[in-house]
């Protein structure tokens, strides 16, 4: 079992206080957006044996287990993060596995450099993800029913929104959503900037259901992503609740601290709320234009105290243990790799004492006994 020393990424949207507060460290005044736990080449965790990426590469079967290697290849299939949003992230979608492979091979064939700002596909993997709230957590997830969005936009009293309102009341729903998103992202920039400004002022004035979108517009004035965001469900998670984000589902995180787990990929198609490249044709190929409820997840408890966040993919499995003081130790040994993360209290994992924000890597098959009085998240795979 290896104690992990993890990199904190200073993305501009990050909170300046949430991660330091959890870790019990002094804020630096700079944003601290994500703390990465895993073997992603961008920021692999460090251990006394070297980086986790180097450890896995040296002996995949030993560290990951033969079943994981056979199923997912000789790399850790997931990336675990603490995510602390102090401002909205970019509105985005992720491809499915077939789309990622096709897109990556196409850009490789065309010689698009991996670090090019207009590159869409950094790898050939999909990127399903799960966010579990540690504090109240605001986000956008999936399309609202078009007629409900039409009513919402109509209520703003902005004349330039009338064409979008009319489109949203047309049928079928998927075609209506596609037409509106296409129109928003391809509109004349000056006209769109004016529409967004008027929309933002109306949202600010009316408050209530419009308040989250006023906040988004404050951070991204004039960005067409503000109107794209108005097409989506706003959701507020309470601590312990989660959202699963599958392929093609537009989403954005707005504010709060959470534990995030995803397949080990960096493939993102952006819809707005960003100065980065927005590839509209490719985005429209990937987005699933299906309205629906965000589907808030609550953990399902098992008799041994494990609370599992059930998702339909195999590259990761996230669960938590809320350990009461004086309880018997839990044996978490598995024939698969694990990362254990403490988020509250004090937990003993093998020979390691974990306080909030501290984590360990457990190689496949290694004895993993935990005890203490606190909350422990367990990240692993299904094999």
């Amino acid at each position: 079992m290896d104690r992990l020393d993890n990199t904190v990424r200073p993305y501009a949207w990050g909170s300046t206080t949430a991660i330091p507060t959890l870790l019990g460290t002094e804020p630096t005044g700079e944003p601290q957006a994500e703390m990465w736990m895993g073997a992603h080449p961008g920021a692999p965790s460090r251990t006394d044996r070297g980086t986790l990426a180097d450890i896995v590469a040296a002996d995949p079967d030993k560290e990951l287990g033969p079943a994981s290697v056979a199923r997912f290849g000789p790399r850790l299939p997931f990336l675990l993060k603490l995510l602390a949003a102090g401002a909205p992230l970019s509105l985005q979608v992720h491809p499915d596995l077939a789309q990622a492979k096709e897109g990556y091979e196409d850009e490789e064939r065309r010689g698009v450099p991996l670090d090019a700002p207009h590159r869409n596909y950094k790898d050939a993997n999909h990127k399903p993800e799960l966010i579990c709230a540690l504090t109240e957590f605001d986000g956008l997830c999936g399309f609202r029913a078009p007629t409900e969005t039409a009513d919402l936009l109509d209520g703003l009293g902005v004349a330039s929104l009338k064409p979008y309102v009319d489109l949203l009341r047309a049928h079928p729903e998927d075609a209506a959503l596609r037409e509106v998103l296409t129109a928003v992202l391809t509109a004349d920039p000056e006209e769109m900037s004016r529409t967004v400004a008027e929309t933002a002022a109306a949202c600010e004035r009316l408050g209530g259901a419009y308040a989250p979108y006023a906040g988004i517009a404050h951070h991204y004035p004039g960005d067409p992503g503000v109107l794209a965001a108005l097409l989506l469900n706003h959701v507020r998670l309470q601590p312990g609740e989660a959202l699963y984000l599958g392929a093609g589902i537009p989403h954005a995180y707005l504010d709060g601290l959470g534990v995030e787990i995803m397949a080990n990929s960096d493939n993102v198609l952006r819809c707005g709320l960003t100065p980065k490249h927005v590839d509209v044709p490719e985005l429209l190929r990937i987005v699933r234009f299906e309205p629906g409820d965000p589907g808030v997840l609550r953990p399902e408890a098992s008799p041994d105290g494990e609370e599992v966040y059930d998702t339909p993919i195999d590259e990761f499995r996230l669960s938590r243990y809320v350990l009461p003081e004086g309880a018997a130790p839990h044996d978490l040994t598995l024939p698969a790799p694990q990362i254990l993360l403490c988020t509250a209290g004090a937990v003993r994992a093998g020979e390691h004492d974990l306080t909030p924000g501290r984590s360990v890597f457990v190689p496949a098959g290694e004895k993993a006994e935990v005890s203490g009085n606190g909350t422990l998240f367990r990240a692993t795979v299904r094999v």
Side-chain angles (χ1 to χ4, degrees):
M1 192 180 296
D2 299 281
R3 181 183 291 274
L4 298 179
D5 179 16
N6 303 305
T7 297
V8 175
R9 310 306 292 264
Y11 304 136
W13 50 261
S15 167
T16 58
T17 58
I19 288 178
T21 297
L22 184 74
L23 294 174
T25 59
E26 285 295 319
T28 64
E30 299 298 318
Q32 298 188 35
E34 295 181 349
M35 187 174 79
W36 288 21
M37 291 159 278
H40 192 284
S45 299
R46 300 170 295 279
T47 78
D48 289 341
R49 295 192 287 156
T51 72
L52 192 53
D54 290 341
I55 291 169
V56 169
D59 196 343
D61 279 351
K62 178 177 182 296
E63 303 297 335
L64 307 177
S68 180
V69 173
R71 183 80 185 277
F72 307 112
R75 62 192 63 83
L76 189 66
F78 61 84
L79 176 64
L80 184 68
K81 299 179 180 179
L82 281 172
L83 184 146
L89 283 68
S90 63
L91 190 61
Q92 59 190 255
V93 297
H94 306 302
D96 64 26
L97 192 55
Q99 291 165 338
K101 288 180 177 177
E102 181 182 349
Y104 179 78
E105 290 169 1
D106 174 64
E107 289 185 322
E108 286 290 279
R109 186 167 54 250
R110 292 190 285 117
V112 181
L114 270 176
D115 59 355
H118 61 287
R119 173 107 187 196
N120 293 316
Y121 297 95
K122 305 299 176 66
D123 53 66
N125 200 11
H126 62 165
K127 192 187 177 187
E129 59 191 42
L130 177 77
I131 184 78
C132 177
L134 295 179
T135 64
E136 276 199 345
F137 194 98
D138 280 74
L140 305 174
C141 180
F143 289 108
R144 189 188 299 106
T147 54
E148 292 178 19
T149 298
D151 292 342
L152 193 74
L153 296 184
D154 208 15
L156 288 167
V158 176
S160 54
L161 293 178
K162 180 70 164 56
Y164 304 128
V165 171
D166 292 342
L167 283 171
L168 287 165
R169 287 184 172 144
H171 291 283
E173 289 187 326
D174 58 344
L177 289 168
R178 178 182 288 274
E179 284 193 49
V180 172
L181 185 61
T182 302
V184 165
L185 296 180
T186 58
D188 176 79
E190 288 189 13
E191 290 182 11
M192 177 53 61
S193 183
R194 287 193 293 271
T195 297
V196 171
E198 292 177 27
T199 300
C203 287
E204 182 75 31
R205 183 180 68 254
L206 293 168
Y210 298 104
Y213 306 99
I216 293 168
H218 171 75
H219 288 283
Y220 296 98
D223 192 309
V226 174
L227 294 192
L230 277 158
L231 300 174
L232 306 185
N233 297 292
H234 172 250
V235 60
R236 174 166 292 169
L237 301 176
Q238 298 303 312
E241 295 180 335
L243 283 175
Y244 171 71
L245 301 156
I249 304 298
H251 62 278
Y253 302 144
L254 305 180
D255 183 73
L257 176 68
V259 174
E260 185 183 37
I261 189 167
M262 61 188 62
N264 201 359
S265 171
D266 199 24
N267 286 325
V268 175
L269 280 300
R270 295 177 178 85
C271 315
L273 309 183
T274 178
K276 295 182 179 179
H277 177 60
V278 177
D279 185 335
V280 175
E282 186 64 10
L283 171 71
L284 296 173
R285 188 176 79 89
I286 299 302
V287 171
R288 290 171 55 188
F289 291 96
E290 300 172 3
D293 185 270
V296 173
L297 292 176
R298 295 171 182 86
E300 299 176 7
S302 61
D304 68 351
E306 185 180 27
E307 299 176 342
V308 180
Y309 293 91
D310 190 35
T311 58
I313 54 93
D314 296 330
E315 283 90 340
F316 62 75
R317 178 183 183 275
L318 185 72
S319 62
R320 71 174 183 177
Y321 288 84
V322 180
L323 304 171
E325 188 171 7
H330 290 265
D331 184 359
L332 305 190
T333 307
L334 285 177
Q338 303 181 71
I339 291 177
L340 307 179
L341 166 68
C342 176
T343 59
V347 175
R348 181 81 171 171
E351 298 301 312
H352 301 284
D353 291 316
L354 303 181
T355 53
R358 312 301 174 184
S359 56
V360 293
F361 172 71
V362 186
E366 182 165 322
K367 181 73 170 177
E369 194 171 81
V370 301
S371 59
N373 181 18
T375 301
L376 187 77
F377 279 82
R378 177 199 221 185
T380 186
V381 300
R382 300 179 196 274
V383 292

